[in-house]
Amino acid sequence: MKFTYLIKSDRRAIITLLCIIAAALGGIWLTDGRQESEAVNETKATKKGGSSTPNRPFYQGKPRQAELFLFDPNTADSTALLRLGLQPWQVRNIYKYRAAGGVYRQPRDFARLYGLTLKQYRRLEPYIRIKEENDILADDYFKAHEPAKERDTLRYPVKLQPEERIVLNMADTTALRKVPGIGPHFARKIADYRRRLGGFCSVQQLLEIEDFPTSAVGFFIIPDSTLPKPWLHINRLSLNELKRHPYINFYQARAIVDFRRLHGPLESLRQLSLDRNFPPEAIERLEPYIVY
């Protein structure tokens, strides 16, 4: 399509757009030329010693003057190490080495410092003084000088001899731990189970504790004077109170409550023998704790 075929308004729009583009290109060309000219003038002025500011570093400071003095690389702090002329990154390497448990045992060990030049080491070597204590590991030192401690009889109780016995219903946790095979865990288990039962009637009840060591049962005795007294008021306690006893589960507690509601107070556990939840062995082991 030829330009003359366009309508008059389209030709005007295209001409205007071309003028704008030409003006923009001309402005860019003039600006670049002016900046180039200024740069040339500034360069000439600088060469002639003009007032233009020469390139210079952003920070200028006096170099640190290294000092030489006796030092121990195992204990010297960062200030002292910097005064010796070491670079900050070299000081950081020393700190990392010491933090990891490293010890300089002789002057030549300091030569292994990462980044330390031979010239630096030869300059510092005559001033390295490593104390004798640093040749000994701290743990070894304190083990050798630690005073002898008496055995903690509370933490490590003396165990019973094979012929010795303790009263099961009277012993506290400290006495229980004297039994071979009984530690703090089982001592607490025995005391807690004894409280929930109301006392042990037989040493064989200890085997009802999960994973209880059978070898420990023979060290316990229950004299008649220490047998538990009946305390479980079967006709007074609620369902929730009854099922707290280790020998009464939810179904047994509900059977007791239902019997009381339908037939009145219980006079003997044998009255529950027809209930499938009360087999003979369940009645036998619960009987010593019941109060009617």
PDB file of all heavy atoms in Angstrom, residues 151-175:
ATOM      1  N   ARG A 151      31.361 -43.714  98.255  1.00  0.00           N
ATOM      2  CA  ARG A 151      30.259 -44.263  97.483  1.00  0.00           C
ATOM      3  C   ARG A 151      28.932 -43.725  98.004  1.00  0.00           C
ATOM      4  O   ARG A 151      28.698 -43.676  99.206  1.00  0.00           O
ATOM      5  CB  ARG A 151      30.274 -45.785  97.581  1.00  0.00           C
ATOM      6  CG  ARG A 151      29.224 -46.449  96.706  1.00  0.00           C
ATOM      7  CD  ARG A 151      29.336 -47.945  96.769  1.00  0.00           C
ATOM      8  NE  ARG A 151      28.361 -48.583  95.916  1.00  0.00           N
ATOM      9  CZ  ARG A 151      28.223 -49.892  95.802  1.00  0.00           C
ATOM     10  NH1 ARG A 151      29.015 -50.690  96.492  1.00  0.00           N
ATOM     11  NH2 ARG A 151      27.305 -50.402  95.005  1.00  0.00           N
ATOM     12  N   ASP A 152      28.106 -43.284  97.091  1.00  0.00           N
ATOM     13  CA  ASP A 152      26.789 -42.770  97.446  1.00  0.00           C
ATOM     14  C   ASP A 152      25.865 -43.955  97.722  1.00  0.00           C
ATOM     15  O   ASP A 152      25.344 -44.589  96.818  1.00  0.00           O
ATOM     16  CB  ASP A 152      26.221 -41.920  96.289  1.00  0.00           C
ATOM     17  CG  ASP A 152      24.914 -41.250  96.663  1.00  0.00           C
ATOM     18  OD1 ASP A 152      24.400 -41.532  97.758  1.00  0.00           O
ATOM     19  OD2 ASP A 152      24.420 -40.443  95.849  1.00  0.00           O
ATOM     20  N   THR A 153      25.664 -44.254  99.021  1.00  0.00           N
ATOM     21  CA  THR A 153      24.864 -45.425  99.380  1.00  0.00           C
ATOM     22  C   THR A 153      23.401 -45.234  99.061  1.00  0.00           C
ATOM     23  O   THR A 153      22.652 -46.203  98.950  1.00  0.00           O
ATOM     24  CB  THR A 153      25.033 -45.726 100.876  1.00  0.00           C
ATOM     25  OG1 THR A 153      24.684 -44.563 101.634  1.00  0.00           O
ATOM     26  CG2 THR A 153      26.471 -46.116 101.189  1.00  0.00           C
ATOM     27  N   LEU A 154      22.945 -43.952  98.926  1.00  0.00           N
ATOM     28  CA  LEU A 154      21.551 -43.734  98.568  1.00  0.00           C
ATOM     29  C   LEU A 154      21.334 -44.025  97.090  1.00  0.00           C
ATOM     30  O   LEU A 154      20.323 -44.595  96.699  1.00  0.00           O
ATOM     31  CB  LEU A 154      21.153 -42.291  98.889  1.00  0.00           C
ATOM     32  CG  LEU A 154      19.689 -41.921  98.633  1.00  0.00           C
ATOM     33  CD1 LEU A 154      18.765 -42.776  99.488  1.00  0.00           C
ATOM     34  CD2 LEU A 154      19.454 -40.441  98.914  1.00  0.00           C
ATOM     35  N   ARG A 155      22.311 -43.615  96.265  1.00  0.00           N
ATOM     36  CA  ARG A 155      22.189 -43.845  94.836  1.00  0.00           C
ATOM     37  C   ARG A 155      22.541 -45.281  94.480  1.00  0.00           C
ATOM     38  O   ARG A 155      21.956 -45.878  93.587  1.00  0.00           O
ATOM     39  CB  ARG A 155      23.093 -42.869  94.087  1.00  0.00           C
ATOM     40  CG  ARG A 155      22.947 -42.939  92.574  1.00  0.00           C
ATOM     41  CD  ARG A 155      23.785 -41.870  91.915  1.00  0.00           C
ATOM     42  NE  ARG A 155      23.648 -41.922  90.469  1.00  0.00           N
ATOM     43  CZ  ARG A 155      24.320 -41.126  89.630  1.00  0.00           C
ATOM     44  NH1 ARG A 155      25.163 -40.226  90.111  1.00  0.00           N
ATOM     45  NH2 ARG A 155      24.152 -41.222  88.328  1.00  0.00           N
ATOM     46  N   TYR A 156      23.538 -45.830  95.182  1.00  0.00           N
ATOM     47  CA  TYR A 156      23.955 -47.208  94.941  1.00  0.00           C
ATOM     48  C   TYR A 156      23.839 -47.988  96.254  1.00  0.00           C
ATOM     49  O   TYR A 156      24.830 -48.212  96.937  1.00  0.00           O
ATOM     50  CB  TYR A 156      25.401 -47.254  94.429  1.00  0.00           C
ATOM     51  CG  TYR A 156      25.635 -46.423  93.195  1.00  0.00           C
ATOM     52  CD1 TYR A 156      26.242 -45.171  93.275  1.00  0.00           C
ATOM     53  CD2 TYR A 156      25.244 -46.882  91.947  1.00  0.00           C
ATOM     54  CE1 TYR A 156      26.443 -44.406  92.132  1.00  0.00           C
ATOM     55  CE2 TYR A 156      25.444 -46.129  90.802  1.00  0.00           C
ATOM     56  CZ  TYR A 156      26.052 -44.891  90.908  1.00  0.00           C
ATOM     57  OH  TYR A 156      26.255 -44.131  89.779  1.00  0.00           O
ATOM     58  N   PRO A 157      22.612 -48.368  96.630  1.00  0.00           N
ATOM     59  CA  PRO A 157      22.420 -49.039  97.921  1.00  0.00           C
ATOM     60  C   PRO A 157      23.097 -50.405  97.948  1.00  0.00           C
ATOM     61  O   PRO A 157      23.213 -51.084  96.929  1.00  0.00           O
ATOM     62  CB  PRO A 157      20.890 -49.187  98.012  1.00  0.00           C
ATOM     63  CG  PRO A 157      20.415 -49.161  96.594  1.00  0.00           C
ATOM     64  CD  PRO A 157      21.353 -48.251  95.866  1.00  0.00           C
ATOM     65  N   VAL A 158      23.555 -50.774  99.140  1.00  0.00           N
ATOM     66  CA  VAL A 158      24.162 -52.092  99.327  1.00  0.00           C
ATOM     67  C   VAL A 158      23.053 -53.131  99.261  1.00  0.00           C
ATOM     68  O   VAL A 158      22.042 -53.036  99.962  1.00  0.00           O
ATOM     69  CB  VAL A 158      24.899 -52.157 100.676  1.00  0.00           C
ATOM     70  CG1 VAL A 158      25.494 -53.541 100.883  1.00  0.00           C
ATOM     71  CG2 VAL A 158      25.989 -51.092 100.730  1.00  0.00           C
ATOM     72  N   LYS A 159      23.212 -54.125  98.420  1.00  0.00           N
ATOM     73  CA  LYS A 159      22.188 -55.136  98.210  1.00  0.00           C
ATOM     74  C   LYS A 159      22.163 -56.146  99.357  1.00  0.00           C
ATOM     75  O   LYS A 159      23.161 -56.359 100.067  1.00  0.00           O
ATOM     76  CB  LYS A 159      22.418 -55.858  96.884  1.00  0.00           C
ATOM     77  CG  LYS A 159      22.294 -54.952  95.655  1.00  0.00           C
ATOM     78  CD  LYS A 159      20.898 -54.377  95.499  1.00  0.00           C
ATOM     79  CE  LYS A 159      20.756 -53.561  94.245  1.00  0.00           C
ATOM     80  NZ  LYS A 159      19.386 -53.018  94.055  1.00  0.00           N
ATOM     81  N   LEU A 160      20.997 -56.780  99.538  1.00  0.00           N
ATOM     82  CA  LEU A 160      20.819 -57.784 100.581  1.00  0.00           C
ATOM     83  C   LEU A 160      21.636 -59.034 100.276  1.00  0.00           C
ATOM     84  O   LEU A 160      21.860 -59.384  99.118  1.00  0.00           O
ATOM     85  CB  LEU A 160      19.343 -58.156 100.700  1.00  0.00           C
ATOM     86  CG  LEU A 160      18.365 -57.044 101.108  1.00  0.00           C
ATOM     87  CD1 LEU A 160      16.937 -57.586 101.106  1.00  0.00           C
ATOM     88  CD2 LEU A 160      18.717 -56.477 102.466  1.00  0.00           C
ATOM     89  N   GLN A 161      22.052 -59.687 101.325  1.00  0.00           N
ATOM     90  CA  GLN A 161      22.688 -60.987 101.188  1.00  0.00           C
ATOM     91  C   GLN A 161      21.626 -62.054 100.930  1.00  0.00           C
ATOM     92  O   GLN A 161      20.438 -61.846 101.223  1.00  0.00           O
ATOM     93  CB  GLN A 161      23.479 -61.322 102.467  1.00  0.00           C
ATOM     94  CG  GLN A 161      24.622 -60.359 102.746  1.00  0.00           C
ATOM     95  CD  GLN A 161      25.646 -60.353 101.624  1.00  0.00           C
ATOM     96  OE1 GLN A 161      26.035 -61.410 101.125  1.00  0.00           O
ATOM     97  NE2 GLN A 161      26.095 -59.174 101.224  1.00  0.00           N
ATOM     98  N   PRO A 162      21.986 -63.204 100.378  1.00  0.00           N
ATOM     99  CA  PRO A 162      20.980 -64.229 100.031  1.00  0.00           C
ATOM    100  C   PRO A 162      20.093 -64.649 101.198  1.00  0.00           C
ATOM    101  O   PRO A 162      18.916 -64.982 100.992  1.00  0.00           O
ATOM    102  CB  PRO A 162      21.829 -65.397  99.527  1.00  0.00           C
ATOM    103  CG  PRO A 162      23.082 -64.760  99.024  1.00  0.00           C
ATOM    104  CD  PRO A 162      23.337 -63.588  99.927  1.00  0.00           C
ATOM    105  N   GLU A 163      20.605 -64.614 102.415  1.00  0.00           N
ATOM    106  CA  GLU A 163      19.811 -65.070 103.564  1.00  0.00           C
ATOM    107  C   GLU A 163      18.979 -63.948 104.200  1.00  0.00           C
ATOM    108  O   GLU A 163      18.174 -64.205 105.102  1.00  0.00           O
ATOM    109  CB  GLU A 163      20.728 -65.685 104.637  1.00  0.00           C
ATOM    110  CG  GLU A 163      21.667 -64.702 105.328  1.00  0.00           C
ATOM    111  CD  GLU A 163      22.929 -64.395 104.534  1.00  0.00           C
ATOM    112  OE1 GLU A 163      23.058 -64.913 103.399  1.00  0.00           O
ATOM    113  OE2 GLU A 163      23.784 -63.657 105.059  1.00  0.00           O
ATOM    114  N   GLU A 164      19.122 -62.733 103.736  1.00  0.00           N
ATOM    115  CA  GLU A 164      18.405 -61.605 104.321  1.00  0.00           C
ATOM    116  C   GLU A 164      17.037 -61.434 103.656  1.00  0.00           C
ATOM    117  O   GLU A 164      16.858 -61.743 102.476  1.00  0.00           O
ATOM    118  CB  GLU A 164      19.229 -60.319 104.173  1.00  0.00           C
ATOM    119  CG  GLU A 164      20.513 -60.321 104.987  1.00  0.00           C
ATOM    120  CD  GLU A 164      21.298 -59.024 104.831  1.00  0.00           C
ATOM    121  OE1 GLU A 164      21.566 -58.637 103.683  1.00  0.00           O
ATOM    122  OE2 GLU A 164      21.622 -58.409 105.857  1.00  0.00           O
ATOM    123  N   ARG A 165      16.068 -60.875 104.434  1.00  0.00           N
ATOM    124  CA  ARG A 165      14.710 -60.654 103.947  1.00  0.00           C
ATOM    125  C   ARG A 165      14.223 -59.293 104.443  1.00  0.00           C
ATOM    126  O   ARG A 165      14.711 -58.769 105.444  1.00  0.00           O
ATOM    127  CB  ARG A 165      13.754 -61.752 104.467  1.00  0.00           C
ATOM    128  CG  ARG A 165      14.126 -63.172 104.080  1.00  0.00           C
ATOM    129  CD  ARG A 165      13.949 -63.402 102.586  1.00  0.00           C
ATOM    130  NE  ARG A 165      14.254 -64.782 102.208  1.00  0.00           N
ATOM    131  CZ  ARG A 165      15.442 -65.221 101.852  1.00  0.00           C
ATOM    132  NH1 ARG A 165      16.486 -64.379 101.837  1.00  0.00           N
ATOM    133  NH2 ARG A 165      15.621 -66.479 101.507  1.00  0.00           N
ATOM    134  N   ILE A 166      13.255 -58.739 103.719  1.00  0.00           N
ATOM    135  CA  ILE A 166      12.622 -57.506 104.172  1.00  0.00           C
ATOM    136  C   ILE A 166      11.105 -57.711 104.169  1.00  0.00           C
ATOM    137  O   ILE A 166      10.568 -58.522 103.404  1.00  0.00           O
ATOM    138  CB  ILE A 166      12.997 -56.293 103.299  1.00  0.00           C
ATOM    139  CG1 ILE A 166      12.464 -56.464 101.862  1.00  0.00           C
ATOM    140  CG2 ILE A 166      14.483 -56.055 103.287  1.00  0.00           C
ATOM    141  CD1 ILE A 166      12.646 -55.203 101.032  1.00  0.00           C
ATOM    142  N   VAL A 167      10.416 -56.945 105.035  1.00  0.00           N
ATOM    143  CA  VAL A 167       8.963 -57.048 105.167  1.00  0.00           C
ATOM    144  C   VAL A 167       8.323 -56.244 104.049  1.00  0.00           C
ATOM    145  O   VAL A 167       8.495 -55.026 103.974  1.00  0.00           O
ATOM    146  CB  VAL A 167       8.502 -56.548 106.550  1.00  0.00           C
ATOM    147  CG1 VAL A 167       6.981 -56.647 106.665  1.00  0.00           C
ATOM    148  CG2 VAL A 167       9.167 -57.356 107.653  1.00  0.00           C
ATOM    149  N   LEU A 168       7.560 -56.924 103.213  1.00  0.00           N
ATOM    150  CA  LEU A 168       7.044 -56.306 101.993  1.00  0.00           C
ATOM    151  C   LEU A 168       6.113 -55.144 102.275  1.00  0.00           C
ATOM    152  O   LEU A 168       6.175 -54.115 101.588  1.00  0.00           O
ATOM    153  CB  LEU A 168       6.318 -57.364 101.157  1.00  0.00           C
ATOM    154  CG  LEU A 168       5.708 -56.911  99.829  1.00  0.00           C
ATOM    155  CD1 LEU A 168       6.741 -56.240  98.946  1.00  0.00           C
ATOM    156  CD2 LEU A 168       5.076 -58.087  99.097  1.00  0.00           C
ATOM    157  N   ASN A 169       5.234 -55.268 103.267  1.00  0.00           N
ATOM    158  CA  ASN A 169       4.234 -54.227 103.523  1.00  0.00           C
ATOM    159  C   ASN A 169       4.756 -53.085 104.389  1.00  0.00           C
ATOM    160  O   ASN A 169       4.032 -52.119 104.630  1.00  0.00           O
ATOM    161  CB  ASN A 169       2.991 -54.832 104.186  1.00  0.00           C
ATOM    162  CG  ASN A 169       2.131 -55.605 103.198  1.00  0.00           C
ATOM    163  OD1 ASN A 169       2.054 -55.243 102.030  1.00  0.00           O
ATOM    164  ND2 ASN A 169       1.524 -56.680 103.663  1.00  0.00           N
ATOM    165  N   MET A 170       6.009 -53.179 104.842  1.00  0.00           N
ATOM    166  CA  MET A 170       6.574 -52.144 105.712  1.00  0.00           C
ATOM    167  C   MET A 170       7.734 -51.386 105.064  1.00  0.00           C
ATOM    168  O   MET A 170       8.075 -50.294 105.503  1.00  0.00           O
ATOM    169  CB  MET A 170       7.065 -52.783 107.025  1.00  0.00           C
ATOM    170  CG  MET A 170       5.991 -53.530 107.793  1.00  0.00           C
ATOM    171  SD  MET A 170       4.680 -52.434 108.398  1.00  0.00           S
ATOM    172  CE  MET A 170       5.590 -51.472 109.617  1.00  0.00           C
ATOM    173  N   ALA A 171       8.337 -51.932 104.029  1.00  0.00           N
ATOM    174  CA  ALA A 171       9.548 -51.348 103.447  1.00  0.00           C
ATOM    175  C   ALA A 171       9.221 -50.137 102.593  1.00  0.00           C
ATOM    176  O   ALA A 171       8.246 -50.141 101.822  1.00  0.00           O
ATOM    177  CB  ALA A 171      10.281 -52.391 102.611  1.00  0.00           C
ATOM    178  N   ASP A 172      10.030 -49.092 102.737  1.00  0.00           N
ATOM    179  CA  ASP A 172       9.899 -47.933 101.850  1.00  0.00           C
ATOM    180  C   ASP A 172      10.739 -48.162 100.598  1.00  0.00           C
ATOM    181  O   ASP A 172      11.392 -49.202 100.447  1.00  0.00           O
ATOM    182  CB  ASP A 172      10.305 -46.647 102.575  1.00  0.00           C
ATOM    183  CG  ASP A 172      11.744 -46.691 103.094  1.00  0.00           C
ATOM    184  OD1 ASP A 172      12.500 -47.603 102.697  1.00  0.00           O
ATOM    185  OD2 ASP A 172      12.119 -45.817 103.896  1.00  0.00           O
ATOM    186  N   THR A 173      10.732 -47.181  99.690  1.00  0.00           N
ATOM    187  CA  THR A 173      11.440 -47.373  98.415  1.00  0.00           C
ATOM    188  C   THR A 173      12.945 -47.537  98.598  1.00  0.00           C
ATOM    189  O   THR A 173      13.592 -48.252  97.832  1.00  0.00           O
ATOM    190  CB  THR A 173      11.164 -46.192  97.464  1.00  0.00           C
ATOM    191  OG1 THR A 173      11.489 -44.956  98.123  1.00  0.00           O
ATOM    192  CG2 THR A 173       9.702 -46.155  97.058  1.00  0.00           C
ATOM    193  N   THR A 174      13.512 -46.888  99.616  1.00  0.00           N
ATOM    194  CA  THR A 174      14.951 -47.031  99.859  1.00  0.00           C
ATOM    195  C   THR A 174      15.285 -48.462 100.256  1.00  0.00           C
ATOM    196  O   THR A 174      16.260 -49.050  99.776  1.00  0.00           O
ATOM    197  CB  THR A 174      15.402 -46.067 100.963  1.00  0.00           C
ATOM    198  OG1 THR A 174      15.086 -44.720 100.575  1.00  0.00           O
ATOM    199  CG2 THR A 174      16.895 -46.177 101.205  1.00  0.00           C
ATOM    200  N   ALA A 175      14.470 -49.044 101.143  1.00  0.00           N
ATOM    201  CA  ALA A 175      14.688 -50.435 101.555  1.00  0.00           C
ATOM    202  C   ALA A 175      14.412 -51.399 100.405  1.00  0.00           C
ATOM    203  O   ALA A 175      15.116 -52.403 100.238  1.00  0.00           O
ATOM    204  CB  ALA A 175      13.791 -50.769 102.748  1.00  0.00           C
TER     205      ALA A 175
END
